[in-house]
Amino acid sequence: MRKQLSFILLISLFSFNYGQNKMEMNSSEIYESIQKLNFLGSVLYVAAHPDDENTNLISYFSNSVHARTGYVSMTRGDGGQNLIGPELRELLGVIRTRELLQARSIDGGVQFFTRANDFGYSKNPDETFQFWDRNQVLSDLVYIIRKFQPDIIIDRFDHRTPGKTHGHHTASAMLSVEAFDLAGDPNRFPDQLKRTAVWQPKRLFFNDSWFMYGSIEAFKKADRTKFFEMEIGKYFPSLGVSNSEIAASSRSQHSSQGFGSIPDLGGTVEYLEPLKGGMPKADIFEGIDTGWTRVKNGKPIGELLSKVEKEYDFRNPAASVPDLMKAYEMIQKLDEDHWKPIKSDEIKKIVAAATGLVLEVITPSQTAVAGEDLKLEIEVLNRSNRDIFLNSIDFSGKLLTVNQKLEKGKSLKLTQNIQIPKDQKPTSPYWLDEKGSVGMYRVDDPKLIGLAENPNQFEASFNLKIEGKEMTIDRPLLYKFKDPTKGEVYKPFAIVPQISLKTDEKVMVFGDENPKTVKIDVKAFLDDSQGRLSLKVNDGWKVSPEFEEVKLSKKGEIKTVEFTLYPPKHQSESLLTPEFTIGNQKFDKELIEISYSHIPDQKIVLPAESKIVHIDLKKKGDRIAYIEGAGDSLPENLKQIGYEVQVLSPTEITTENLKSFDAVVLGVRAFNVVPELKFKNKILFDYVKNGGNLMVQYNTNQPLVTDEISPLPLKLSRDRVTDEFSEVRFLAAENPVLNSPNKISQKDFEGWVQERGLYFPNQWDAEFTAVLSMNDKGESPMDGSLLVAKYGKGYYVYTGLSFFRELPAGVPGAYRLLANILSLGK
């Protein structure tokens, strides 16, 4: 077990420390990488979202077959929920992108994306393609296939079953089936051929599974003669882990979705249905040349690398370096532009690991701004007996000549001054640089299409001579520091704006005509930053004072400046944009920093604007208790409209505590993620019985910590309305929730985002009043989105309406309806 743990922890260590290169692979991992050098075959797995991928198959193809294995996620998962923090939409997409990259660092795959945006759940591919630009997403997938050149494509979902699963799922498979043929057609997307070449994959499969049939029993009864079966539960003695353990560790990186996994240590069978290219007899690569003979003049390279593998010394990996360098030199002479760079890069990593080569470039701080001068600290170390000579180091055109032999165990320390180009853009996810549409990200640079993340902006190229042969190895610039609890920690180096502006609220809601104080945090990333801060508003909004002079002496200094914002008399939705002026430079962006222990720190530069909303709103009651669920911003949203909100921990849910509150609200999915509610629900129901007002937001129908989520019979379903423009009909027009203190009309359901609601109940006690009815196009009415019951002296409300999306988006009608719910009984 110790070996297994050490392997997983080793992978995790280097992933989390981001770029540490002192011990890239151990001896067993070097051997596995050498085996991979002699396999020239590729597999591409295709699905819709992060966490859709089958990590068992990706790990198997990468670590057992030694194939180059990729995963295309159509989207970055922006429309999902976040179980680890408050980030939603594009920020959640950044988190889930990094989680996928962490997963690939463990299972050995390569990650790709299209420009499709996860706009939320859709019930069929027709609805999906109303938001996705079908031709553009198809073009992206064709481009990825042409660049990656897979011999085999495997779809996670079935293209023949529209309406039976998430519309994104079926759409991903439909596009994959179409792209399989189009990638080899020079008449389709011909502009791509300036950057790549046509490619025709050999086989296409659908990765069928028991969950497609509803149960294991139903799957066992199905006709499985049409499947190509693969036993993939392999154990790797040299690594001390099984394929299932690697796959489970990979899948567990999807923390924001709550997909921690336990490996199945027994046998694992995967089922592949051939869609194109025929059924193989025994080997999925049957009839496909996966050796060096598929490359012109490649046979001698394969023979030499077979010798390296056969003669490998686990106790002395460096003994393989002379032959590896010979193979590398032979590869450089090939007239081929696909496998040549791939295998060259693989050999570089093996040689660096086998020699224990340290090539490190450390920045004086984690961030710098355009035009800033930096003094870099460089350390080079050869920890083997191999003959290694450092010729020079190239810093994006600025050459540091060294001409020194690297003696075993003797560290060479150098410094180099560089200047960040004055026109250098800040480091930020490339797909967020421009404003896209609801369903598509805008990416103007065609070279970025398909990439999981930005290419390294700053690298140092170490020009070496190893065993008499030239080799250049690139290393990213990193920031390193000593953490008192973790020791040596590496962070990615980033270019940031000189000034970052942050409003204290991303949405400011005014329920009356009284002014509010707006606080703007001004943060400097360069010493002696002095300028003028002002706020831009329109549509009758007013700001006082007109501007403030702000001086920040030190890098990292933050000053908070207060303005008073006056709403117009009429109901209004507008934008507030802070602007900081230094000479002729204007800064109006916020640097958002995301930090979680399972992924590297992320820096995102987005407009610093806030939505400001004046709502015609009345409310009754003041004190609200909020019990956290899976995460939403409802407490902050309620404070915006004048409520006093207290967040209660499960231990604080007592009969005495609840007496002082006008209403109690449960966060989204509370009955899914708060185990203590199994024992606290009776206290909540008694609170209602004694005259309280309890609002329960949506829960998924499984798993629930208790079936008693209501004092009256109530059964959840998977019913949802995904069209945010769908008609909302009033079933109980006289019910107080539609009339007091705000008169709710159809106008209050305008401007909703992403969806109407989800996981509506489909069965309920006669004491409940169904207030609203709605449905997506072509479906029967769903009446369970908002249920109100008088229970004892109080009110119990269950709602699947997506308040957790509408309130942060500043939707006026959602605030008005929520105020009515919280005012019941007052």
Side-chain angles (χ1 to χ4, degrees):
M1 188 63 185
R2 183 172 295 175
K3 277 190 177 181
Q4 296 173 9
L5 287 174
S6 65
F7 170 72
I8 299 298
L9 289 173
L10 181 66
I11 293 176
S12 301
L13 174 67
F14 298 125
S15 300
F16 301 167
N17 278 6
Y18 195 85
Q20 184 171 1
N21 51 31
K22 291 182 179 176
M23 194 169 61
E24 288 188 334
M25 292 183 281
N26 62 35
S27 182
S28 294
E29 291 165 333
I30 293 171
Y31 177 70
E32 295 291 329
S33 297
I34 288 173
Q35 287 184 309
K36 195 166 188 172
L37 284 175
N38 250 346
F39 194 94
L40 280 67
S42 300
V43 177
L44 187 64
Y45 201 85
V46 179
H49 310 106
D51 73 45
D52 281 344
E53 82 275 29
N54 185 336
T55 55
N56 277 297
L57 269 180
I58 292 174
S59 176
Y60 176 78
F61 281 118
S62 180
N63 297 295
S64 181
V65 180
H66 295 117
R68 189 166 183 252
T69 309
Y71 173 47
V72 180
S73 178
M74 295 290 170
T75 74
R76 297 177 185 269
D78 327 74
Q81 278 90 56
N82 184 359
L83 298 187
I84 61 174
E87 298 88 358
L88 291 174
R89 294 303 309 153
E90 66 270 10
L91 297 183
L92 177 58
V94 172
I95 291 172
R96 298 189 72 189
T97 294
R98 278 306 328 179
E99 289 178 338
L100 269 181
L101 287 167
Q102 290 302 120
R104 298 295 80 78
S105 73
I106 289 174
D107 59 37
V110 183
Q111 186 62 50
F112 300 101
F113 294 94
T114 74
R115 284 172 286 179
N117 191 341
D118 178 4
F119 56 85
Y121 191 89
S122 65
K123 295 181 177 178
N124 57 67
D126 289 339
E127 183 182 334
T128 298
F129 289 127
Q130 290 177 16
F131 296 93
W132 289 2
D133 182 324
R134 178 171 183 154
N135 193 61
Q136 197 174 83
V137 181
L138 179 62
S139 168
D140 291 356
L141 186 55
V142 167
Y143 184 62
I144 292 167
I145 291 171
R146 287 172 172 174
K147 292 283 287 184
F148 190 70
Q149 296 189 12
D151 299 300
I152 294 163
I153 295 178
I154 302 174
D155 293 341
R156 167 78 284 184
F157 301 105
D158 191 344
H159 67 289
R160 300 159 295 192
T161 56
K164 292 188 177 181
T165 182
H166 196 322
H168 297 180
H169 292 169
T170 311
S172 72
M174 292 169 66
L175 292 172
S176 178
V177 171
E178 193 173 352
F180 181 88
D181 293 322
L182 297 186
D185 183 352
N187 296 314
R188 294 304 303 268
F189 310 113
D191 286 350
Q192 295 179 1
L193 303 183
K194 300 172 185 176
R195 303 180 299 278
T196 186
V198 295
W199 178 257
Q200 183 55 61
K202 307 302 187 298
R203 292 192 179 100
L204 175 67
F205 294 92
F206 159 49
N207 181 197
D208 212 336
S209 178
W210 68 264
F211 64 78
M212 306 285 186
Y213 294 76
S215 68
I216 295 175
E217 291 71 23
F219 182 58
K220 288 179 178 178
K221 296 176 183 177
D223 175 17
R224 288 186 283 171
T225 59
K226 62 181 180 180
F227 298 137
F228 179 73
E229 295 189 15
M230 297 177 62
E231 170 55 62
I232 64 170
K234 183 176 180 180
Y235 177 71
F236 305 107
S238 64
L239 300 177
V241 290
S242 67
N243 185 66
S244 297
E245 288 171 293
I246 296 174
S249 180
S250 170
R251 187 158 184 77
S252 295
Q253 301 311 303
H254 297 299
S255 298
S256 65
Q257 295 302 105
F259 278 110
S261 298
I262 297 174
D264 181 357
L265 298 181
T268 303
V269 179
E270 290 290 340
Y271 300 89
L272 304 179
E273 179 187 350
L275 300 178
K276 296 191 177 188
M279 171 76 83
K281 294 179 181 178
D283 180 4
I284 197 170
F285 281 97
E286 200 170 85
I288 302 171
D289 187 354
T290 58
W292 277 97
T293 50
R294 80 182 296 170
V295 175
K296 183 180 179 181
N297 299 321
K299 184 178 178 181
I301 299 172
E303 291 172 346
L304 177 56
L305 290 174
S306 294
K307 173 177 176 286
V308 172
E309 180 183 342
K310 184 178 180 180
E311 296 177 355
Y312 182 74
D313 185 348
F314 282 85
R315 291 180 298 180
N316 183 20
S320 299
V321 169
D323 280 341
L324 285 169
M325 291 304 300
K326 289 178 185 177
Y328 175 79
E329 190 175 53
M330 293 165 69
I331 291 171
Q332 305 319 299
K333 296 176 182 178
L334 293 175
D335 184 17
E336 200 269 353
D337 59 5
H338 179 68
W339 288 107
K340 178 179 176 178
I342 292 169
K343 295 302 177 182
S344 295
D345 187 56
E346 289 179 10
I347 288 184
K348 288 179 182 182
K349 291 176 181 176
I350 293 170
V351 168
T355 57
L357 191 60
V358 175
L359 305 170
E360 194 170 81
V361 185
I362 302 301
T363 60
S365 64
Q366 192 179 353
T367 63
V369 305
E372 187 173 353
D373 293 320
L374 297 180
K375 183 178 181 180
L376 305 176
E377 301 287 342
I378 305 156
E379 183 171 10
V380 184
L381 175 63
N382 170 23
R383 292 182 284 190
S384 73
N385 291 317
R386 303 273 49 114
D387 183 18
I388 303 178
F389 193 88
L390 176 59
N391 295 323
S392 60
I393 310 172
D394 189 347
F395 299 90
S396 301
K398 185 172 184 179
L399 198 67
L400 172 63
T401 302
V402 182
N403 291 331
Q404 187 166 333
K405 183 176 181 179
L406 303 179
E407 301 290 346
K408 180 183 178 181
K410 292 185 179 180
S411 178
L412 174 63
K413 295 185 178 181
L414 307 164
T415 61
Q416 175 72 359
N417 295 318
I418 66 167
Q419 184 184 57
I420 305 299
K422 294 182 179 180
D423 60 352
Q424 183 66 50
K425 290 174 56 178
T427 305
S428 188
Y430 72 84
W431 61 93
L432 299 178
D433 281 348
E434 304 291 340
K435 187 175 180 61
S437 65
V438 172
M440 297 294 298
Y441 281 120
R442 176 181 164 186
V443 180
D444 294 334
D445 186 349
K447 295 190 296 295
L448 297 174
I449 300 297
L451 296 184
E453 59 182 345
N454 298 35
N456 277 325
Q457 290 179 298
F458 296 98
E459 288 185 326
S461 298
F462 290 81
N463 301 311
L464 303 156
K465 184 176 285 187
I466 303 175
E467 296 296 316
K469 295 176 172 56
E470 304 287 341
M471 176 180 279
T472 296
I473 298 177
D474 297 328
R475 286 287 185 261
L477 274 60
L478 297 171
Y479 174 62
K480 180 174 72 173
F481 65 96
K482 184 179 73 172
D483 182 275
T485 59
K486 299 176 183 177
E488 186 178 56
V489 176
Y490 290 76
K491 299 283 187 179
F493 172 68
I495 305 301
V496 298
Q498 181 178 344
I499 297 292
S500 171
L501 303 173
K502 180 183 178 181
T503 56
D504 58 340
E505 300 287 351
K506 282 301 177 187
V507 175
M508 296 189 68
V509 180
F510 292 70
D512 51 38
E513 295 181 18
N514 293 322
K516 288 188 178 184
T517 298
V518 182
K519 295 180 180 180
I520 309 295
D521 287 343
V522 184
K523 184 173 183 178
F525 287 91
L526 194 67
D527 291 345
D528 299 320
S529 295
Q530 183 173 353
R532 174 176 292 185
L533 177 66
S534 60
L535 301 184
K536 296 166 61 179
V537 293
N538 54 28
D539 192 30
W541 293 80
K542 294 181 180 179
V543 176
S544 178
E546 183 180 350
F547 62 85
E548 288 280 3
E549 297 288 345
V550 182
K551 182 178 181 179
L552 301 109
S553 302
K554 295 294 182 181
K555 179 176 182 176
E557 184 179 355
I558 300 175
K559 286 191 175 179
T560 301
V561 183
E562 294 186 357
F563 293 84
T564 302
L565 180 61
Y566 299 84
K569 291 186 177 181
H570 58 277
Q571 186 161 305
S572 170
E573 296 180 52
S574 186
L575 289 177
L576 177 149
T577 304
E579 187 174 271
F580 195 87
T581 305
I582 302 177
N584 59 0
Q585 286 185 293
K586 291 185 177 181
F587 300 91
D588 59 2
K589 300 289 194 298
E590 176 185 357
L591 178 68
I592 301 170
E593 302 184 67
I594 296 176
S595 182
Y596 289 102
S597 60
H598 68 300
I599 57 175
D601 291 354
Q602 301 296 296
K603 289 181 169 52
I604 305 101
V605 178
L606 292 175
E609 63 192 23
S610 292
K611 185 175 182 179
I612 48 178
V613 184
H614 180 208
I615 300 175
D616 178 14
L617 181 142
K618 301 178 183 66
K619 66 181 183 67
K620 297 179 181 179
D622 297 303
R623 299 194 72 232
I624 306 296
Y626 174 80
I627 299 165
E628 292 182 319
D632 61 46
S633 60
L634 191 137
E636 291 76 19
N637 303 138
L638 290 178
K639 290 175 184 177
Q640 288 274 340
I641 53 175
Y643 283 104
E644 177 189 342
V645 183
Q646 183 175 339
V647 178
L648 298 184
S649 68
T651 58
E652 293 173 312
I653 303 173
T654 66
T655 300
E656 193 61 33
N657 278 349
L658 297 185
K659 286 180 181 178
S660 64
F661 294 103
D662 295 303
V664 176
V665 179
L666 267 63
V668 297
R669 296 179 64 183
F671 278 111
N672 295 127
V673 300
V674 184
E676 294 89 344
L677 288 181
K678 180 177 181 179
F679 311 103
K680 296 289 185 176
N681 54 352
K682 187 177 185 304
I683 295 174
L684 292 169
F685 301 155
D686 285 345
Y687 161 77
V688 177
K689 195 172 185 178
N690 293 325
N693 183 7
L694 175 64
M695 172 180 154
V696 178
Q697 296 187 82
Y698 96 93
N699 292 268
T700 60
N701 54 0
Q702 59 178 341
L704 291 164
V705 299
T706 174
D707 292 331
E708 296 180 24
I709 66 172
S710 163
L712 300 166
L714 181 75
K715 184 176 181 180
L716 302 182
S717 73
R718 297 183 64 85
D719 290 349
R720 62 203 300 163
V721 175
T722 60
D723 182 1
E724 64 268 38
F725 305 108
S726 62
E727 179 190 3
V728 177
R729 299 172 293 277
F730 295 173
L731 298 176
E734 301 306 315
N735 192 281
V737 83
L738 294 180
N739 293 280
S740 177
N742 304 288
K743 182 68 175 178
I744 302 299
S745 69
Q746 292 295 331
K747 187 175 177 60
D748 288 297
F749 291 94
E750 295 176 2
W752 284 50
V753 298
Q754 188 160 327
E755 62 201 356
R756 290 294 189 196
L758 62 170
Y759 290 97
F760 300 158
N762 62 357
Q763 296 179 35
W764 51 84
D765 189 86
E767 292 296 318
F768 278 106
T769 297
V771 178
L772 305 174
S773 179
M774 58 188 71
N775 56 271
D776 284 320
K777 184 178 179 181
E779 295 188 350
S780 301
M782 298 178 187
D783 300 341
S785 64
L786 178 57
L787 301 175
V788 179
K790 191 82 166 66
Y791 179 69
K793 298 178 182 179
Y795 286 88
Y796 173 91
V797 179
Y798 188 94
T799 179
L801 294 172
S802 58
F803 286 112
F804 71 101
R805 296 199 192 280
E806 311 314 319
L807 301 181
V811 177
Y815 278 92
R816 285 164 47 84
L817 179 58
L818 179 61
N820 281 11
I821 293 172
L822 299 180
S823 299
L824 283 170
K826 305 296 182 297

